[in-house]
Amino acid sequence: MTLTIHKKNFIKDGKPFFYLADTCWSAFTNIPENDWHYYLQYRKRQGYNVLQINILPQWDASGTDLNYVPYVLKEDGGYDFTKINDDYFQHAKRMCEIAKEYNFELALVALWCNYVPKTWANNMLPLNTMPFDCVDRYIEKVDETFTQFNPIYIISGDTDLNEEITKNYYNKASDLLREAAPQCIQTLHVRGRLMEIPEEMINRMDFYMFQSGHNAKTENLCMTYRLPEYFVENYPEKPLINSEPCYEQMGSSGRIYGRHHRFNIRRAAWQSLLSGACSGITYGAAGIYSWHIYGKNFGSAIGEGFDMPNPWQQAIHYPGAWEYGDIKHIFNEFQVTELISKQKVLLNNTEEIRVACTPDEKLMMIYLPENTTIKLNYHFSEDDECTIIDLNTLHRECGRIYNHKDICYLDMHVFEHDVLYIIRRK
């Protein structure tokens, strides 16, 4: 059944659908079929229901012994965009057929930014710039190959939208797919930390993707909540997803020494979810998105300068992938389908703590990255139920609520890591 949208929610089979995606940009070029089966079975067991894949080769995919290219190669190694390689698209179709057998939804990127003129990646790697007059035939091939799977079409990939020619490419691709596949949901995947989206492109999007990204500078850590706050405040109401929070074990961007670990990616997810981006979340792992294997190259020196990843056989077992699956289980257990930011009731002097509640205000969620007593300008009865979930172990504590001088206090917890407070009115 086709995925649909109702206000802030995705709907499938008449029920709310929590979008839990894994980032596997390089699937069509780098993954042998046997490994694809193993990967899909494993992610399915972890609760994932969406795969984000680049239709064309990912610009920073790891080296591979496979030889899947979408166009005939020219002498300079670039693509001849007038000569489509049908075998490539037949292979991609087969990969999609297998994914659908495991009941995954597909979120497919049509034009990653390196293929489109005047984007940040194309300025570095202009060899495979797709000519504007070749977009029509390419989108026709995309529709012919993938629309039968009712995918989400992600029109752009990691793109900036500053130049008119760039917007023309994406608007053309969007219009062609809207005409050919009106039943398919569309969105844009924009570059990290981008807030300002042109109005004509906002209106084309059925839901919003933003990217808090992998930059570990202090001034950028707040993007996990600043971006969703901005989208909620400035754009029409639609489902909203952090489609690329920091990837587990990814080297910090900008050639900064360090990697993102379990705590970093948990914090990114929960801060986004409780700041307006409650329709779902996307997980990513260094070594999976580029499908890295031992002994193969990885472009550490280009783009944002990410450090070398571990091989996919190791990366698939990172613990954070399970913890993103736990997010979906928690939403389902507490029957949360929509959250509204309640940040204004927080009296603690920090934005790192995030507060949200259901529209009827019968349930409140609070993400607490570091232990402290929570103070709220809000009334809960001391008899209301407070559950505290240790997000590192999933152990649970019965929390204590008390009120003093019109302030509601939630006692400190007993755990060592970040936690989620869930308060339900009796």
Side-chain angles (χ1 to χ4, degrees), residues 332-362:
N332 289 342
E333 177 187 349
F334 290 92
Q335 299 180 334
V336 175
T337 58
E338 184 178 342
L339 290 170
I340 298 170
S341 175
K342 274 285 183 180
Q343 200 63 23
K344 291 181 179 179
V345 308
L346 181 69
L347 297 177
N348 298 69
N349 188 27
T350 178
E351 292 183 298
E352 285 277 299
I353 302 170
R354 305 309 295 177
V355 183
C357 67
T358 53
D360 60 9
E361 299 195 14
K362 291 183 178 180

Coordinates of all heavy atoms in Angstrom, one line a residue, residues 332-362:
N332 N 5.8 3.8 20.0 CA 4.7 2.8 19.9 C 4.2 2.4 21.3 O 3.0 2.3 21.5 CB 5.2 1.6 19.1 CG 5.4 1.9 17.6 OD1 4.9 2.9 17.1 ND2 6.1 1.0 17.0
E333 N 5.1 2.1 22.2 CA 4.6 1.7 23.5 C 3.8 2.8 24.2 O 2.7 2.4 24.8 CB 5.8 1.4 24.4 CG 5.5 1.0 25.8 CD 6.7 0.9 26.8 OE1 7.8 0.9 26.2 OE2 6.5 0.8 28.0
F334 N 4.2 4.0 24.1 CA 3.4 5.1 24.8 C 2.4 5.7 23.8 O 1.8 6.8 24.2 CB 4.4 6.1 25.3 CG 5.2 5.6 26.5 CD1 6.4 5.0 26.3 CD2 4.7 5.7 27.8 CE1 7.2 4.5 27.4 CE2 5.4 5.2 28.9 CZ 6.6 4.6 28.7
Q335 N 2.2 5.1 22.7 CA 1.2 5.5 21.7 C 1.3 7.0 21.3 O 0.3 7.8 21.3 CB -0.2 5.2 22.2 CG -0.5 3.8 22.5 CD -1.8 3.4 23.0 OE1 -2.5 4.3 23.7 NE2 -2.3 2.2 22.8
V336 N 2.5 7.4 21.1 CA 2.8 8.8 20.7 C 2.9 8.9 19.1 O 3.7 8.2 18.5 CB 4.2 9.3 21.3 CG1 4.5 10.6 20.7 CG2 4.1 9.3 22.8
T337 N 2.0 9.7 18.6 CA 2.0 9.9 17.1 C 2.3 11.3 16.7 O 2.6 11.6 15.6 CB 0.6 9.5 16.5 OG1 -0.4 10.2 17.2 CG2 0.4 8.0 16.7
E338 N 2.2 12.2 17.7 CA 2.5 13.6 17.4 C 3.0 14.3 18.7 O 2.4 14.0 19.8 CB 1.3 14.3 16.9 CG 1.5 15.8 16.5 CD 0.3 16.4 15.9 OE1 -0.7 15.7 15.5 OE2 0.3 17.7 15.8
L339 N 4.0 15.1 18.6 CA 4.5 15.9 19.7 C 4.5 17.4 19.3 O 4.8 17.7 18.2 CB 5.9 15.4 20.1 CG 6.0 14.0 20.7 CD1 7.4 13.6 20.8 CD2 5.3 14.0 22.1
I340 N 4.3 18.2 20.3 CA 4.4 19.7 20.2 C 5.4 20.2 21.2 O 5.4 19.8 22.4 CB 3.0 20.3 20.5 CG1 2.0 19.8 19.5 CG2 3.1 21.8 20.4 CD1 0.6 20.2 19.8
S341 N 6.3 21.0 20.7 CA 7.3 21.5 21.6 C 6.7 22.3 22.8 O 5.8 23.1 22.6 CB 8.3 22.5 20.9 OG 9.2 23.1 21.7
K342 N 7.2 22.0 24.0 CA 6.8 22.8 25.2 C 8.0 23.4 25.8 O 8.1 23.5 27.1 CB 6.1 21.8 26.2 CG 4.6 21.7 25.9 CD 3.9 22.9 26.4 CE 2.4 22.7 26.2 NZ 1.6 23.9 26.6
Q343 N 9.0 23.8 25.0 CA 10.2 24.3 25.6 C 10.1 25.5 26.5 O 10.9 25.7 27.4 CB 11.2 24.7 24.4 CG 12.6 24.7 24.7 CD 13.2 23.4 25.1 OE1 12.6 22.3 24.8 NE2 14.3 23.4 25.9
K344 N 9.0 26.3 26.3 CA 8.8 27.5 27.1 C 8.6 27.2 28.5 O 8.7 28.1 29.4 CB 7.7 28.3 26.5 CG 8.1 29.0 25.1 CD 7.0 29.8 24.6 CE 7.3 30.4 23.2 NZ 6.3 31.3 22.7
V345 N 8.1 26.0 28.9 CA 7.8 25.7 30.3 C 9.1 25.3 31.1 O 9.1 25.2 32.3 CB 6.8 24.6 30.4 CG1 5.5 25.0 29.6 CG2 7.3 23.2 30.1
L346 N 10.2 25.1 30.4 CA 11.4 24.7 31.0 C 12.1 25.9 31.7 O 12.4 26.9 31.1 CB 12.4 24.1 30.0 CG 13.7 23.5 30.6 CD1 13.5 22.3 31.4 CD2 14.7 23.3 29.5
L347 N 12.4 25.7 33.0 CA 13.0 26.8 33.8 C 14.5 26.6 34.0 O 15.2 27.5 34.4 CB 12.3 26.9 35.2 CG 10.9 27.3 35.1 CD1 10.3 27.3 36.5 CD2 10.7 28.6 34.5
N348 N 15.0 25.4 33.6 CA 16.5 25.2 33.7 C 17.2 26.1 32.6 O 16.6 26.3 31.6 CB 16.8 23.8 33.4 CG 16.3 22.8 34.4 OD1 15.1 22.6 34.5 ND2 17.2 22.2 35.2
N349 N 18.3 26.6 33.0 CA 19.0 27.6 32.1 C 19.8 26.9 31.0 O 21.1 27.0 31.0 CB 19.9 28.5 33.0 CG 20.5 29.6 32.1 OD1 19.9 30.0 31.2 ND2 21.6 30.1 32.6
T350 N 19.2 26.1 30.2 CA 19.9 25.4 29.1 C 18.8 25.0 28.0 O 17.7 24.7 28.3 CB 20.6 24.2 29.5 OG1 21.2 23.5 28.4 CG2 19.7 23.2 30.2
E351 N 19.3 25.1 26.8 CA 18.4 24.6 25.7 C 18.7 23.1 25.3 O 18.0 22.5 24.6 CB 18.7 25.4 24.4 CG 18.2 26.8 24.5 CD 18.4 27.6 23.2 OE1 19.6 27.7 22.7 OE2 17.4 28.0 22.6
E352 N 19.7 22.5 25.9 CA 20.1 21.2 25.7 C 19.0 20.2 26.1 O 18.7 19.2 25.5 CB 21.4 20.8 26.4 CG 22.6 21.4 25.7 CD 23.1 20.5 24.6 OE1 23.5 19.3 24.8 OE2 23.1 21.0 23.5
I353 N 18.3 20.5 27.2 CA 17.2 19.8 27.7 C 16.0 20.1 26.8 O 15.7 21.3 26.5 CB 16.8 20.1 29.1 CG1 18.0 19.8 30.1 CG2 15.6 19.3 29.6 CD1 17.8 20.3 31.5
R354 N 15.3 19.1 26.2 CA 14.2 19.4 25.3 C 12.9 18.8 25.9 O 12.9 17.7 26.4 CB 14.5 18.7 23.9 CG 15.8 19.1 23.3 CD 16.0 20.6 23.2 NE 15.1 21.3 22.4 CZ 15.0 22.6 22.2 NH1 15.8 23.4 22.9 NH2 14.1 23.2 21.4
V355 N 11.9 19.6 25.7 CA 10.6 19.3 26.3 C 9.5 19.3 25.2 O 9.4 20.2 24.4 CB 10.2 20.3 27.4 CG1 8.9 19.9 28.1 CG2 11.3 20.4 28.4
A356 N 8.7 18.3 25.2 CA 7.5 18.2 24.2 C 6.4 17.4 24.8 O 6.6 16.6 25.8 CB 8.0 17.6 22.9
C357 N 5.2 17.7 24.3 CA 4.0 16.9 24.8 C 3.1 16.6 23.7 O 3.2 17.1 22.6 CB 3.3 17.8 25.9 SG 2.5 19.2 25.2
T358 N 2.2 15.6 24.0 CA 1.2 15.3 23.0 C 0.2 16.5 22.9 O 0.1 17.3 23.8 CB 0.5 14.0 23.4 OG1 0.0 14.1 24.7 CG2 1.4 12.8 23.3
P359 N -0.5 16.6 21.8 CA -1.5 17.7 21.6 C -2.5 17.8 22.7 O -2.9 18.9 23.0 CB -2.1 17.4 20.2 CG -1.1 16.6 19.5 CD -0.4 15.7 20.5
D360 N -2.9 16.7 23.3 CA -3.9 16.8 24.4 C -3.2 17.0 25.8 O -3.9 17.1 26.8 CB -4.7 15.5 24.5 CG -3.9 14.2 24.7 OD1 -2.7 14.3 25.0 OD2 -4.5 13.1 24.6
E361 N -1.9 17.1 25.8 CA -1.1 17.4 27.0 C -1.3 16.3 28.1 O -1.0 16.6 29.2 CB -1.4 18.8 27.5 CG -1.0 19.9 26.6 CD -0.9 21.2 27.2 OE1 -0.9 21.3 28.4 OE2 -0.9 22.2 26.4
K362 N -1.7 15.1 27.7 CA -1.8 14.0 28.7 C -0.4 13.3 28.9 O -0.3 12.5 29.8 CB -2.9 13.0 28.2 CG -4.3 13.6 28.3 CD -5.3 12.5 27.9 CE -6.7 13.1 28.0 NZ -7.7 12.1 27.7

